[in-house]
């Protein structure tokens, strides 16, 4: 853990305590403006509705955490583990999620507008009603099967049928594809 242990201890007390502490810190001009929780272990924590705007959570473990309605706007979550996290209605607007793992995360109704999600892993994630306006999804992963098989399928039915005739002994793997 490379972050601030005091800040981590306060956040682990729950969203109400963390949000109150944060409001108090914002009034104190000498307090640091950024929460520094790089590499923190917050797996399975209940942080529902926490104010985590602008927080450095790079490489943090938030797997299985309840992050519903959390305000992450402008936060750094690069390389973070968010597998199985419950993030419905969360605001991830403008976040850095480069290289983050969101396998099986519930992002239903989440706002990922203008987020940087290059190389993020969204396999089996629920993105129902998620807002993806101007989101950078370059090289993000959404598919578990064989990408070569999917690329052939995407060329159309005729190309797929030709490939199938030429590769009779190959079992195509399109698992996880959303048609």
């Amino acid at each position: 853990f490379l972050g601030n242990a005091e800040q981590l201890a306060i956040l682990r007390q729950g969203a109400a305590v963390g949000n109150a502490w944060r409001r108090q810190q914002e009034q104190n001009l000498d307090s640091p403006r950024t929460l520094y929780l790089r590499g923190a272990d917050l797996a399975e924590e209940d942080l529902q509705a926490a104010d985590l705007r602008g927080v450095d959570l790079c490489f943090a473990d938030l797997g299985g955490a309840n992050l519903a309605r959390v305000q992450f706007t402008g936060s750094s979550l690069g390389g973070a583990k968010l597998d199985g996290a419950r993030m419905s209605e969360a605001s991830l607007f403008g976040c850095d999620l480069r290289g983050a793992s969101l396998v099986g995360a519930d992002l239903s109704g989440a706002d990922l507008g203008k987020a940087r999600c290059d190389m993020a892993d969204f396999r089996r994630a629920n993105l129902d009603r998620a807002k993806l306006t101007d989101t950078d999804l370059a090289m993000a992963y959404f598919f578990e099967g064989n990408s070569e098989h999917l690329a052939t399928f995407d060329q159309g039915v005729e190309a797929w049928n030709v490939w199938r005739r030429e590769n009779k002994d190959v079992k195509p793997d399109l698992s996880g594809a959303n048609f």
Side-chain angles (χ1 to χ4, degrees):
F1 173 60
L2 301 173
N4 183 310
E6 177 190 356
Q7 293 173 348
L8 179 59
I10 290 166
L11 186 58
R12 281 192 171 141
Q13 294 177 48
V17 172
N19 291 349
W21 178 84
R22 188 123 195 232
R23 283 189 298 275
Q24 180 183 25
Q25 296 303 303
E26 288 174 351
Q27 293 173 1
N28 182 350
L29 298 177
D30 296 329
S31 294
R33 293 287 174 239
T34 300
L35 294 180
Y36 189 68
L37 300 171
R38 182 176 286 254
D41 182 358
L42 293 162
E44 304 296 330
E45 294 284 342
D46 184 0
L47 301 173
Q48 182 174 329
D51 180 358
L52 298 177
R53 290 173 294 152
V55 175
D56 182 348
L57 285 160
C58 289
F59 306 105
D61 184 354
L62 293 150
N66 182 2
L67 305 170
R69 296 188 321 278
V70 169
Q71 293 295 319
F72 284 110
T73 303
S75 292
S76 297
L77 291 151
K81 181 180 178 189
L82 294 149
D83 298 341
R86 296 174 308 283
M87 304 175 75
S88 60
E89 307 296 328
S91 175
L92 295 144
F93 188 87
C95 281
D96 179 356
L97 287 157
R98 290 177 288 179
S101 181
L102 297 114
V103 176
D106 177 6
L107 291 155
S108 56
D111 184 357
L112 288 111
K114 296 192 177 192
R116 296 208 47 199
C117 299
D118 336 18
M119 303 289 291
D121 190 346
F122 289 98
R123 289 174 295 150
R124 295 187 314 277
N126 178 359
L127 291 162
D128 184 46
R129 299 180 337 277
K131 297 168 190 74
L132 300 168
T133 307
D134 296 324
T135 303
D136 183 354
L137 295 166
M139 296 177 60
Y141 302 102
F142 292 92
F143 179 67
E144 289 188 81
N146 184 310
S147 57
E148 188 176 315
H149 297 173
L150 182 61
T152 302
F153 187 84
D154 282 344
Q155 292 173 18
V157 173
E158 190 174 319
W160 177 255
N161 289 338
V162 168
W163 182 86
R164 291 288 287 147
R165 281 192 296 274
E166 294 172 356
N167 298 279
K168 291 178 183 173
D169 296 334
V170 175
K171 182 181 178 185
D173 182 1
L174 297 173
S175 58
N178 183 4
F179 299 110

